[in-house]
Amino acid sequence: MNIIEIDRVDFPGVEMFTRLTEAQLLNRLHPEQGVFIAESPKVIRVALDAGYEPVALLCERRHIDGDASDIVDRICDVPIYTGDREVLSAITGYTLTRGVLCAMRRKETRTVADVCVGARRVVVIKGVVDTTNIGAIFRSAAALGIDGVLLTRDSCDPLNRRAVRVSMGSVFLVPWTWIDDDISSLRSFGFRTVAMALTEKSVPLDDLRLAAEPRLAIVMGTEGDGLPSEAIDDADYVVRIPMKHGVDSLNVAAAAAVAFWQLRK
């Protein structure tokens, strides 16, 4: 067991937990695969079960034989950095959730075909940049039977530390990849596209034609402006969630959960 006691912020080897930004974790440490940070024992277990390879663990000393003992047993070949809570908080800049962080290698990025073949319901996340919303959408997707997630390249990275934490590890359970802006290409996989938007031609979410479609790609737009006009115009369906009390829309994560439930196959 490779347990390493640390006592200062600049201790060699802990840079990935401290000074490196999300972009640097992706591009600098291991350009061929990249690294992300999983936080809390529960999330780390989900990642390990999904086949992600650990690089290093940062753990409060009391958790080595406590909450994280099974994780330590599983990854005993990698460095396990430990110390007092005060030291670890100084290193990370905040008090750790459940006192455990794990740096893990990214897997090879899937192709759009990998995600779409055999899927009946996928979600396209277009331009959503809030990490909390990304994590919440993934959690709903996993819970409500969405088969895959496709993100345009101007969206937040699902393996951002906060997105991973908010998703409770669901980002490791649902196949996902990046897609270019030409969402109409999904028709080649047999999908009809559903743009979630408020327009004059929007149909209600419970329209019976939607439930009858064998394959749907549900397109969710940005937190502020929603979907651009070209994405709406190109969609097979434009769909709204019926509202009351003069409310015109929901947060994108809440709207995604409602849509996933109603349109599940």
Side-chain angles (χ1 to χ4, degrees):
M1 190 176 299
N2 188 14
I3 297 178
I4 302 169
E5 290 279 344
I6 59 178
D7 56 6
R8 64 184 191 275
V9 173
D10 60 348
F11 196 93
V14 299
E15 295 85 0
M16 66 188 76
F17 298 108
T18 59
R19 295 191 298 273
L20 298 188
T21 65
E22 294 286 345
Q24 288 170 329
L25 287 172
L26 174 60
N27 297 316
R28 197 176 96 184
L29 277 183
H30 298 280
E32 73 284 358
Q33 291 180 306
V35 173
F36 67 92
I37 305 296
E39 183 174 347
S40 89
K42 181 175 182 179
V43 171
I44 294 167
R45 291 185 191 105
V46 176
L48 291 172
D49 290 344
Y52 284 87
E53 178 187 352
V55 174
L57 193 75
L58 183 68
C59 181
E60 285 184 34
R61 192 181 297 107
R62 63 192 179 95
H63 290 309
I64 292 177
D65 296 318
D67 289 350
S69 60
D70 61 310
I71 295 172
V72 171
D73 290 341
R74 293 176 68 174
I75 65 172
C76 56
D77 293 336
V78 307
I80 300 171
Y81 298 101
T82 188
D84 296 330
R85 168 173 282 214
E86 293 74 17
V87 174
L88 301 191
S89 295
I91 287 174
T92 60
Y94 58 93
T95 300
L96 299 183
T97 301
R98 302 298 297 275
V100 188
L101 295 177
C102 188
M104 312 188 89
R105 296 195 193 282
R106 291 171 179 259
K107 293 183 178 181
E108 183 178 353
T109 303
R110 293 179 172 91
T111 66
V112 173
D114 291 337
V115 174
C116 290
V117 171
R120 294 185 295 175
R121 296 291 187 265
V122 299
V123 60
V124 179
I125 301 175
K126 187 173 179 60
V128 176
V129 297
D130 184 88
T131 55
T132 298
N133 283 334
I134 290 291
I137 292 171
F138 265 87
R139 189 170 184 181
S140 295
L144 300 175
I146 296 298
D147 300 311
V149 179
L150 304 166
L151 304 100
T152 57
R153 297 183 185 277
D154 55 350
S155 296
C156 171
D157 178 13
L159 296 184
N160 171 283
R161 184 185 303 191
R162 181 166 177 79
V164 170
R165 183 169 73 246
V166 171
S167 81
M168 293 301 293
S170 296
V171 294
F172 310 129
L173 303 178
V174 183
W176 65 271
T177 194
W178 302 103
I179 186 172
D180 295 325
D181 283 336
D182 185 16
I183 297 171
S184 62
S185 63
L186 295 177
R187 294 191 181 101
S188 65
F189 298 100
F191 286 95
R192 304 294 296 278
T193 55
V194 175
M196 300 297 297
L198 295 171
T199 72
E200 293 182 356
K201 67 175 183 177
S202 297
V203 300
L205 184 61
D206 57 358
D207 189 299
L208 295 179
R209 291 173 296 173
L210 299 172
E213 291 285 358
R215 310 185 89 184
L216 286 177
I218 305 162
V219 188
M220 309 297 303
T222 65
E223 294 88 343
D225 298 330
L227 289 172
S229 57
E230 57 268 23
I232 296 172
D233 293 340
D234 192 51
D236 296 302
Y237 297 97
V238 183
V239 175
R240 70 180 184 275
I241 299 173
M243 303 278 178
K244 295 186 177 182
H245 299 293
V247 178
D248 63 352
S249 64
L250 296 174
N251 164 275
V252 64
V258 174
F260 296 166
W261 169 255
Q262 181 65 38
L263 300 179
R264 69 196 186 282
K265 190 65 177 176

